[in-house]
Amino acid sequence: MANATEASRSYRLELEPQKRSIFVTQLGERGEDDREEEDVNKYPIVKESAGKLIETGLNTMQKTLLLKREVEVDKVTLELQAKRENFQQRMEECEKKRIELQKKQQRMKDRVSKFDKFIQETEAKRRRAIHKYQTELKLKDQKQSEYELLLQQLEELKLVHKELCTKLQKHKKYEDYLMRVLDDIPENYLEVNDSMLRSLMDRHRTLSTTNQALIARVQNMSDQIDTDNQRMEELKYSHDQKKLLINRQLAELQSKQEEVMEANAQLEEEIFSELNSYRDHSEILGRIQMAVNDIADKCHKKHDPALDSMTYIEKLQLIMLFTMDLISVEKMARSMSLGSRTRRKSKSSFSATGSKGSRNNTSMGSNSQKR
């Protein structure tokens, strides 16, 4: 039992307090009471506003609605007029502020332009001052370098002057010597000049130049002679070489001439032998032509063309035809003699001998005709 009681307590259903249900006919009338009553469910019956209810009311008069509309229009007109006046005031204030701002901007621009002009003038002055400073500095450096260069040149000139003075003292003895020479030379030896010493030096310079030119000329002539001798030796050597070459070519040409002469002699012998053989062949050909003419004359018939107008080929053809005719005649004669021999077997030997002699005479005649 105790266990059942504990189980029922552990599974007990706890419910929240239920809200009350209220039907509301007008909205927004209860105010703060509605906020406090959170456990109340409100079910509105009328969902339209009061003005809408008046408009749609069946018993509402048209005049009441018109007055309400006019009141609303007047109210909106007043609000619009107030808004316009407020907007006009604000626009005037904005215009004043804009004018003031433009004046301030103009004053600021003037101040900025003046300040820029002042800055530009100051910058120009600074640049001119810097340029002048740089120019003067460069000029100072240039003058300083020129001064140092002049000092260096002065020192060099002092050294040169000192050296010249030393040389002058050193060559003083030569001047004394030249003066003594002037005293010893004849009066008309030199040209008349302001400085006899200068004339003597010019004379010496001229003679020295002439001497050097003569020495150079002699040297050139000696070199030319050596060159000519060397060239002559080369010409002699080339002449000897050409002479040897010409002699060798002459020997070769002579040997070729001998070979050509031998070949010509051999050719002459061959030509002579050819001429002899040609003569023999010509003689044989003449004999053959004479034999052909003789045989053709014997074989010529009356109805054949003249022998003088016929060529040797035609004459040989004529001889061939005549020989063929003789051969055919001989064959016919032999066939006839053979037939008569078979028919006359019973004749006497005399008649047989006579017929044999006649056949022999006929064959001899045909052979002579062939020949």
Side-chain angles (χ1 to χ4, degrees), residues 63-262:
K63 187 176 181 180
T64 304
L65 294 175
L66 182 59
L67 290 173
K68 186 177 180 181
R69 291 292 184 184
E70 288 178 357
V71 170
E72 290 178 356
V73 169
D74 292 337
K75 185 178 180 180
V76 171
T77 303
L78 291 174
E79 291 178 356
L80 180 61
Q81 186 67 28
K83 291 288 184 181
R84 285 179 178 176
E85 291 176 357
N86 188 12
F87 179 75
Q88 187 68 26
Q89 291 177 0
R90 291 178 65 183
M91 289 297 294
E92 290 177 357
E93 291 176 357
C94 289
E95 185 67 21
K96 291 179 181 180
K97 290 181 180 180
R98 187 179 65 80
I99 293 170
E100 291 293 332
L101 182 61
Q102 287 180 354
K103 290 180 180 180
K104 288 181 180 180
Q105 288 179 353
Q106 187 64 33
R107 288 195 297 271
M108 186 65 69
K109 287 180 181 179
D110 294 338
R111 291 178 63 186
V112 169
S113 62
K114 290 179 181 180
F115 186 70
D116 290 339
K117 187 176 181 181
F118 174 74
I119 290 173
Q120 290 176 1
E121 291 177 355
T122 306
E123 185 67 21
K125 290 179 181 179
R126 187 181 67 83
R127 289 178 181 176
R128 287 196 296 271
I130 292 171
H131 181 68
K132 185 177 180 181
Y133 170 74
Q134 291 177 353
T135 305
E136 291 179 354
L137 186 62
K138 289 180 181 179
L139 184 61
K140 179 184 176 182
D141 295 337
Q142 184 178 359
K143 295 296 182 182
Q144 185 67 26
S145 60
E146 290 178 358
Y147 175 72
E148 292 176 356
L149 182 62
L150 290 173
L151 287 177
Q152 185 178 359
Q153 291 178 357
L154 180 61
E155 294 295 330
E156 291 176 356
L157 290 174
K158 286 181 179 180
L159 293 175
V160 171
H161 181 264
K162 186 176 180 180
E163 291 178 359
L164 290 175
C165 290
T166 305
K167 287 183 179 180
L168 183 61
Q169 293 296 329
K170 184 178 180 181
H171 295 90
K172 182 68 175 175
K173 56 184 179 180
Y174 300 111
E175 185 179 2
D176 297 337
Y177 173 74
L178 291 175
M179 294 302 294
R180 288 196 302 271
V181 170
L182 287 174
D183 294 336
D184 294 336
I185 61 175
E187 294 181 357
N188 297 325
Y189 183 75
L190 298 174
E191 296 179 358
V192 178
N193 198 353
D194 295 336
S195 177
M196 298 300 293
L197 188 61
R198 176 68 64 182
S199 299
L200 182 61
M201 292 174 66
D202 292 339
R203 180 70 175 174
H204 178 268
R205 188 179 296 108
T206 303
L207 293 174
S208 177
T209 304
T210 305
N211 186 24
Q212 290 178 0
L214 291 173
I215 291 170
R217 185 177 179 184
V218 170
Q219 186 67 31
N220 291 330
M221 291 178 69
S222 178
D223 295 338
Q224 186 68 30
I225 289 170
D226 294 337
T227 304
D228 293 339
N229 290 329
Q230 185 178 1
R231 186 178 179 186
M232 186 177 66
E233 294 295 332
E234 291 177 355
L235 290 173
K236 285 182 179 180
Y237 178 75
S238 63
H239 178 70
D240 294 336
Q241 293 294 327
K242 287 182 180 179
K243 187 176 179 180
L244 292 173
L245 181 62
I246 290 170
N247 291 330
R248 186 176 64 186
Q249 291 178 355
L250 182 61
E252 291 177 356
L253 291 174
Q254 287 178 355
S255 61
K256 287 182 180 180
Q257 184 182 6
E258 292 176 357
E259 292 176 358
V260 170
M261 290 177 68
E262 291 178 359

Side-chain angles (χ1 to χ4, degrees), residues 30-38 42:
R30 297 179 65 88
E32 295 179 356
D33 296 338
D34 295 338
R35 297 174 186 172
E36 293 177 355
E37 296 177 357
E38 295 179 356
K42 298 178 181 180

